[in-house]
Amino acid sequence: MKIKRVIFLGMAGLLFASCEESAVTILPLTKTWEIAVPNQEIPEGLTSLSSEQCGACHQDHYNEWKISTHAQAWKDLQFQAELKKESSPFMCINCHIPLQNQQEYIVEGLIDGDIYQPVKRTNYQFDEKLQQEGINCVSCHVRNNAVIGMTGSKKAPHKTVKDPTFLSEKLCISCHNATAVVTPTLACSFETGDEWKKGPFFGEKNCISCHMETMERPLVFGFEPKKSHFHSFPGSGIPKFDSLQPKILNGLSFSYSNPKKVQRAKTPIDFEFYVKNEFAGHKVPTGDPERFILIEFAVRDSKGNIVHQQTERIGEEWVWSPRVRKISDNNLFPGEERNYSLHFIPKTKGNYVLNIEVTKHRLNQKSANYNKLGSNYPLFISIYQKEFQLQVN
């Protein structure tokens, strides 16, 4: 039997075996998103790595986490649909279940550097129940057999260390800033961290400032209030399931020029609508390149018929095959304001209604159909609505 010569290029440059055939080189993992958090042991004083156990004492934090999209990161129907595709490489799970304890296999390298040929071995510490928790408490708060906190309390029943530097925006960006053209038809484009670094809030505000509101409350029920952070990580506000209602953090502000309430027939109605990325320290939308925002104008007559309609879109557009590439990007930069003009000439006298609605979208209906996502998977939410009554004489 012929055996290929295997060369393992790890930290120590080890040579495994040699034989008759051409060499197969196993290259080490080098990108942050290729590497899971190594298996963690249960810290002294605890009996489990589950968020459910954390919630026995940290009740507020646990209840907030349960309605977060972090808690749904593994069960997310869109992610599971993407994961089933042959083009899905091994490392996509590392941001959705960051702990090796949550993963069935440990990836030790890549044959000839090919992401579709990972060298895997069975993970005997795999915990299927823990996998369902997605990005859980341990993902951020346990390393080296200890619970990492902002204060390092000595009164805690478990081993605790203080490390606010670890629990900084660097931890957030380790997942929310992964960019690479992985294959000709697969791109990973999450640039929120880079957008923040180039924006006006860099050095003044960070991910935690906006997405983890500071508050005074007991860390454990019955104890004295301390400085703490909100743990629902509010963002787009688009729920992963129709039964889940996460908190929303909207970076946009809206304003408009009031249209004249009384107009003459065949005289133009001009209306200006302003959208500003006033509060976000990154672009809006950000993250998943399939996200977009729609601004929809509709003018209806007294019978409710639409006599004028106009739609504006904010977001990126990509071509996914035969080669993946971004073809446009009009995401709003931090502080950027954009105006949208409506120009309509009513032909007849009567009463009209001008409606404006702004919606945030996770992905379009075509992609949802392709991924066979059901009706219980919300694709968008409405974030702004306004109505104007117009009279034409």
Side-chain angles (χ1 to χ4, degrees), residues 221-239:
F221 180 76
F223 282 70
E224 290 295 318
K226 287 187 176 183
K227 180 181 176 181
S228 178
H229 292 282
F230 188 61
H231 274 66
S232 277
F233 315 99
S236 73
I238 307 173

Side-chain angles (χ1 to χ4, degrees), residues 299-307 348-353 389-390:
V299 181
R300 290 179 169 82
D301 63 18
S302 58
K303 295 180 180 180
N305 299 315
I306 296 177
V307 294
T348 60
K349 297 178 182 180
N351 296 321
Y352 293 83
V353 177
Q389 302 290 331
L390 306 174

Side-chain angles (χ1 to χ4, degrees), residues 64-83:
E64 290 161 6
W65 169 81
K66 282 200 299 185
I67 64 169
S68 73
T69 51
H70 277 182
Q72 310 301 321
W74 176 254
K75 294 179 283 190
D76 175 24
L77 299 179
Q78 181 186 1
F79 175 69
Q80 285 296 323
E82 295 287 351
L83 206 59

Side-chain angles (χ1 to χ4, degrees), residues 21 53 75 152 161 178 181 183 211 244 315 330 336 380:
E21 295 251 334
Q53 180 172 94
K75 294 179 283 190
V161 297
V181 175
T183 71
H211 294 274
L244 182 72
N330 71 344
E336 181 183 358
F380 68 93

Side-chain angles (χ1 to χ4, degrees), residues 7 124 165 167 207 211 362:
I7 301 174
Y124 293 104
T165 301
L167 294 174
C207 314
H211 294 274
R362 171 174 287 116

